Amino acid sequence: MLTSLKPKVTTIISNNAESVENRLTELCNLLRDTVDYYDWVGFYFKNGDKEELKLGPYAGEPTDHTIIPFGKGICGQVAVGNENFVVPDVAAQDNYIACSITVKAEIVVPLFKNGENIGQIDIDSNTPNPFTEEDERFLEFVNQEVSQIL
Ligand code: SME
């Protein structure tokens, strides 16, 4: 199912006629519209030289958390931990920043450019425990594609 989305991801990313921002927004919309348990899909990127993340393109409800300090929340932990973070039940997490009371689970996958962790894709789900290794592999693929245009 997720694998079948890969060609569409590549098509969106390689469309040089569009700005990077528009391509990333289109990608977020594709993922949110196609995968029923992806309810909020967005990118965070390192904010210049600061030890914080800044919200980039996203699809879903607007969030107050446009800046997240490194180490804070799931996103901030991935910024320093450099590994995928799958949260089957957000209520069981101590270091978690709630964006919406409807969210039950979250997955954050770091995005590397030339080996450096420069951001991440963040997905919230209103479905409990929906993420599997298939999501991790797929989102790693998405980030590899995205890193090529950054
Ligand atoms: N829940 C995230 C914050 C970002 S929102 O999900 C959009 C976290 O704990 O880092």
Side-chain angles (χ1 to χ4, degrees):
M1 154 56 191
L2 292 174
T3 302
S4 66
L5 277 177
K6 285 183 174 182
K8 283 186 183 165
V9 171
T10 304
T11 300
I12 290 170
I13 292 301
S14 56
N15 179 13
N16 294 326
E18 285 291 345
S19 68
V20 169
E21 191 167 342
N22 284 351
R23 281 180 266 175
L24 294 188
T25 301
E26 200 180 332
L27 178 58
C28 290
N29 281 317
L30 169 79
L31 300 185
R32 182 172 181 265
D33 292 346
T34 317
V35 186
D36 59 359
Y37 57 92
Y38 287 6
D39 293 293
W40 189 95
V41 178
F43 288 93
Y44 282 93
F45 293 105
K46 187 175 195 302
N47 191 12
D49 291 339
K50 297 182 187 158
E51 297 286 291
E52 66 184 28
L53 294 162
K54 187 176 180 199
L55 181 63
Y58 67 93
E61 291 295 308
T63 171
D64 289 340
H65 305 289
T66 53
I67 298 285
I68 298 177
F70 279 15
K72 293 278 163 62
I74 309 304
C75 295
Q77 292 178 78
V78 170
V80 293
N82 305 320
E83 286 182 2
N84 298 348
F85 201 146
V86 180
V87 182
D89 173 10
V90 295
Q93 285 293 319
D94 290 334
N95 190 357
Y96 169 72
I97 302 167
C99 280
S100 156
I101 52 162
T102 61
V103 175
K104 298 284 195 295
E106 178 163 5
I107 183 170
V108 180
V109 173
L111 195 159
F112 299 97
K113 175 89 183 173
N114 301 325
E116 189 191 344
N117 181 352
I118 60 160
Q120 53 197 235
I121 190 167
D122 175 19
I123 297 180
D124 286 340
S125 181
N126 298 339
T127 303
N129 194 15
F131 301 116
T132 68
E133 284 189 15
E134 195 192 352
D135 296 278
E136 291 192 64
R137 299 296 88 77
F138 172 66
L139 296 171
E140 286 164 2
F141 165 82
V142 168
N143 281 353
Q144 273 163 23
E145 294 288 289
V146 170
S147 75
Q148 292 174 32
I149 60 166
L150 297 177

